Amino acid sequence: MRCILSFSLALVAAAAMATSASATVLYSDTFSRVTGSGDGNGDPNGGDPNFSDWGTNDNGLGGSNSQAWVSGPDRAGGGRNAVTDGNLGISHGTTSFYDFDAAAAAPNGFTVALDFSRFVTVPPPPIGGGFIQVGLGVDAGTAVGSEFLTDNGSDFSVLFQQAAGGNAANAQVDEDSSEIDTFDYLDPNSPHTLLLTVVPQVPGAYGDADLIDINVLVDGTISNDYTVAGGDNFGAFSVSANNFDTRFIDNLVVSAIPEPASIALVALGLLGFVRRQC
């Protein structure tokens, strides 16, 4: 009976370890701060040249990597945005980057989870205007200064658009600046959640000649799978919007997926210990 009980406890312990080891948070940001653009008058939209200050991520949801966001103006020179007490406001056309390559720290893959909304004002802009876009694999050092991730050669991006009446295919998926798919993410005017699960087909291989499987999950129900080529700095995260009205991301969490074999080894080690005790 003692061995049966120990065996059962070992299985429970192994399962618990597998659950706890499901992900290691690399960095996060709750955006629970207030920043502006550095404008002397305190205008969060800033004066010329309208660079914004998003500050440094707070790791409020876990993680240890800490660095300042990199933001730049749009093509008209008006990168007007600010972090505003609990969410990231993005307005008037800008792209901002978290220039940390999660891929380098996550050979078995990583996830990007966030909340987003295309509108945080009432009433929203006219039907047909505005977007928010998230992307992977854009080099902030060369891409700052353009509004659209698709124009900057992101390795992978998802563009959440405003389609008239929320009609189908109002999200666009791009690989290397080329559209590869569209899908309906339902009401463009509602808040949403997004989870990107990124897994290289060969662990640690994220380069140009490598294949990467990506699942795009919106609101926990709309799921789409893609296989794309990798690229330099593939794990760097970016967010972009055009100049219609404020939209935001919130509760950003980027996590490394552990090696599956390590969880299995833990379980086998526990079971071996139980057998020796019997």
Side-chain angles (χ1 to χ4, degrees):
M1 177 66 70
R2 176 177 174 273
C3 287
I4 293 174
L5 178 61
S6 298
F7 184 81
S8 300
L9 290 174
L11 287 177
V12 171
M17 287 186 179
T19 300
S20 64
S22 60
T24 301
V25 178
L26 299 175
Y27 66 90
S28 65
D29 205 342
T30 65
F31 304 103
S32 54
R33 58 187 180 276
V34 177
T35 69
S37 62
D39 178 65
N41 296 320
D43 180 2
N45 289 332
D48 188 28
N50 292 331
F51 281 96
S52 178
D53 174 15
W54 285 17
T56 299
N57 68 300
D58 54 36
N59 284 324
L61 296 170
S64 58
N65 184 73
S66 182
Q67 66 178 59
W69 288 82
V70 180
S71 298
D74 71 355
R75 286 171 286 193
R80 304 182 175 207
N81 49 47
V83 176
T84 55
D85 193 19
N87 64 71
L88 176 58
I90 311 166
S91 64
H92 296 286
T94 189
T95 300
S96 289
F97 309 85
Y98 196 83
D99 196 24
F100 170 79
D101 190 359
N108 301 295
F110 60 93
T111 61
V112 178
L114 57 92
D115 302 321
F116 76 93
S117 176
R118 297 185 59 264
F119 303 112
V120 293
T121 57
V122 178
I127 293 296
F131 70 77
I132 187 168
Q133 183 178 22
V134 298
L136 299 172
V138 179
D139 183 355
T142 60
V144 168
S146 183
E147 160 185 358
F148 306 108
L149 296 178
T150 48
D151 292 346
N152 277 321
S154 58
D155 293 320
F156 182 84
S157 67
V158 185
L159 173 69
F160 295 98
Q161 305 177 85
Q162 167 75 13
N167 49 321
N170 57 356
Q172 175 180 314
V173 181
D174 287 350
E175 177 187 2
D176 291 331
S177 301
S178 297
E179 180 183 318
I180 60 172
D181 191 26
T182 58
F183 67 90
D184 184 7
Y185 73 105
L186 305 180
D187 186 0
N189 298 326
S190 296
H192 298 281
T193 63
L194 173 66
L195 177 65
L196 303 179
T197 302
V198 180
V199 179
Q201 292 189 357
V202 176
Y206 290 93
D208 293 339
D210 301 311
L211 294 179
I212 300 170
D213 296 326
I214 300 179
N215 175 260
V216 178
L217 183 65
V218 180
D219 300 332
T221 57
I222 303 169
S223 180
N224 297 276
D225 294 306
Y226 306 96
T227 297
V228 301
D232 296 338
N233 206 34
F234 190 89
F237 174 79
S238 307
V239 60
S240 181
N242 65 349
N243 55 345
F244 281 88
D245 203 351
T246 304
R247 37 213 145 262
F248 71 89
I249 66 169
D250 200 3
N251 299 322
L252 171 67
V253 181
V254 178
S255 304
I257 298 173
E259 181 181 1
S262 64
I263 299 173
L265 288 174
V266 169
L268 288 173
L270 285 170
L271 296 179
F273 174 79
V274 169
R275 291 192 184 98
R276 287 194 297 274
Q277 300 305 308
C278 295

